[in-house]
Amino acid sequence: MHFKNYEYFLMIAEEGSISKAAERLYMTQSSLSKYLKRLEENLGVELFSRESHPLALTEAGVIYKRYVEEIRGMERQLRLDFAEFQEGLFGHVTLALTEWRSSVVIPALFPYFRKKHPHITMSIREGSHQQMQFWLEHGQADFALMHHPNDFQNLEMEFLAQENVLMAVNQRDPLLRKLPYEPRPGEVYHLNTDEFLLFRDAPFIIGVEGQNIREIVLNFFSSLNIVPNVILEVKGDQTKQNLVKASIGNAFMAFATFGINTYRDDLCYFSIGDPPLHWNLAVAYHKKHPPSIQAQKLIQTIREIIAITPKDR
């Protein structure tokens, strides 16, 4: 096995003995002694105090050891960089997603991905599902995070996770006292269909026309033969939660599979129905533009984050 000269030095420092270091390096003691003598002559300093046993580094030796360790670290990083280059892990990837999902996902995803793949740059395109479909078709995004199923053609879908629809309720709502348990604000619970019927006459805030969550909620009411008391149609989850806080009504929003926890500690949250109302989150890409190596690495990172993110309980 071949060692660079500084490996010899580090072995002597570790063992505190030339003989023990020579044994571990599979070389003779005399050869290692000659190496150390030449090294000290070239540097013009003594690296070890011969008067101590085991051998101890001099002040110059401490400085040289610190220098050598920095060089080793730089060489390890260089080898990693070359390995990533050979695997195609240099480049760029563009992810498309909605503005809401971007706000909760990117702060968690970006630093994790940048640390894991520092030589792959990432950009974000935020827009509606219709815009994302256009970007994918025209090669303006590598892949998108979309709800599935949907009506878009020529898109391949890879399942990521199930996301439940949540109902946000003001913690002071008297209907909460009729539940068989006391929900804690900021936590997510589940209402079976019978429990949800306690809220059937409550005022509701739902999504705007074109939002998937709106259609899911309205279909759920229809399946129960309920005409909901819809008092407002709102697009943004933050606005919905503020309205719930103001006791305007109960609002429906999405549970984020991974990302920043946007739940407020003054509201209660419930998944609803049997099985719970939900959609599937998927990776979407166009059939004529399969994911590049860089995109595959980002998709893999997303799956890793989902796996370690606490789920709805």
Side-chain angles (χ1 to χ4, degrees):
M1 186 173 184
H2 297 286
F3 289 84
K4 293 187 176 181
N5 285 350
Y6 59 69
E7 296 288 354
Y8 297 171
F9 164 78
L10 290 174
M11 189 65 73
I12 297 171
E14 180 180 339
E15 291 294 332
S17 165
I18 293 178
S19 60
K20 290 181 180 179
E23 184 179 347
R24 288 189 59 185
L25 292 168
Y26 301 100
M27 61 190 301
T28 65
Q29 181 176 341
S30 61
S31 296
L32 189 57
S33 294
K34 290 178 182 178
Y35 151 77
L36 180 57
K37 182 180 179 181
R38 287 196 303 269
L39 176 61
E40 290 180 325
E41 288 175 349
N42 289 335
L43 294 175
V45 294
E46 284 193 354
L47 300 174
F48 294 93
S49 172
R50 268 63 169 185
E51 298 176 355
S52 63
H53 184 77
L55 291 178
L57 290 168
T58 63
E59 291 186 12
V62 172
I63 294 172
Y64 183 67
K65 184 173 182 287
R66 184 165 58 243
Y67 163 80
V68 165
E69 289 172 342
E70 290 177 358
I71 293 296
R72 291 183 73 193
M74 292 173 63
E75 289 196 349
R76 282 195 297 268
Q77 187 59 54
L78 180 62
R79 287 193 292 270
L80 289 174
D81 290 348
F82 281 160
E84 290 194 348
F85 179 78
Q86 290 173 342
E87 293 179 21
L89 300 186
F90 279 66
H92 186 80
V93 58
T94 300
L95 167 63
L97 65 178
T98 63
E99 291 182 16
W100 167 77
R101 190 172 298 281
S102 178
S103 70
V104 297
V105 166
I106 298 305
L109 174 61
F110 181 72
Y112 188 91
F113 182 71
R114 184 169 58 174
K115 181 177 180 180
K116 190 176 181 66
H117 299 290
H119 304 297
I120 301 178
T121 56
M122 182 173 71
S123 60
I124 305 300
R125 302 203 73 161
E126 300 172 321
S128 67
H129 279 65
Q130 289 75 18
Q131 288 174 309
M132 288 192 281
Q133 194 274 342
F134 177 86
W135 294 333
L136 294 174
E137 181 178 358
H138 292 83
Q140 297 175 12
D142 292 279
F143 69 94
L145 297 182
M146 279 188 172
H147 304 148
H148 179 68
N150 56 53
D151 297 329
F152 298 120
Q153 303 298 315
N154 299 318
L155 294 184
E156 296 286 352
M157 296 283 179
E158 295 181 9
F159 174 80
L160 284 175
Q162 175 180 303
E163 293 184 327
N164 291 340
V165 172
L166 302 183
M167 180 175 69
V169 181
N170 190 295
Q171 64 175 332
R172 296 187 299 275
D173 190 324
L175 293 175
L176 294 178
R177 293 195 290 272
K178 296 184 179 182
L179 295 175
Y181 53 89
E182 183 178 352
R184 295 191 301 271
E187 300 287 339
V188 179
Y189 297 86
H190 179 70
L191 297 177
N192 61 38
T193 301
D194 288 340
E195 291 170 334
F196 173 76
L197 290 176
L198 293 172
F199 299 87
R200 62 182 299 163
D201 297 323
F204 291 104
I205 303 159
I206 65 172
V208 299
E209 191 76 33
Q211 287 188 308
N212 286 356
I213 193 169
R214 171 194 172 98
E215 301 306 318
I216 292 173
V217 169
L218 291 181
N219 287 338
F220 177 66
F221 278 113
S222 178
S223 70
L224 299 177
N225 295 316
I226 296 175
V227 178
N229 177 20
V230 177
I231 58 173
L232 274 176
E233 299 179 5
V234 177
K235 182 178 182 181
D237 282 355
Q238 188 60 50
T239 303
K240 292 177 184 176
Q241 292 182 96
N242 288 337
L243 291 168
V244 176
K245 170 63 177 175
S247 299
I248 303 301
N250 300 336
F252 296 96
M253 53 188 289
F255 174 82
T257 297
F258 67 99
I260 294 176
N261 183 348
T262 59
Y263 307 134
R264 299 172 53 135
D265 58 9
D266 51 8
L267 303 180
C268 298
Y269 299 88
F270 301 90
S271 57
I272 55 178
D274 308 300
L277 298 188
H278 70 276
W279 56 47
N280 292 328
L281 177 65
V283 168
Y285 55 88
H286 201 276
K287 293 179 179 178
K288 66 181 180 181
H289 300 300
S292 63
I293 293 177
Q294 294 83 2
Q296 291 174 27
K297 292 300 180 182
L298 182 54
I299 293 170
Q300 178 183 341
T301 301
I302 291 172
R303 292 188 183 279
E304 291 173 2
I305 293 178
I306 290 175
I308 64 177
T309 301
K311 302 296 188 295
D312 180 9
R313 63 188 179 92

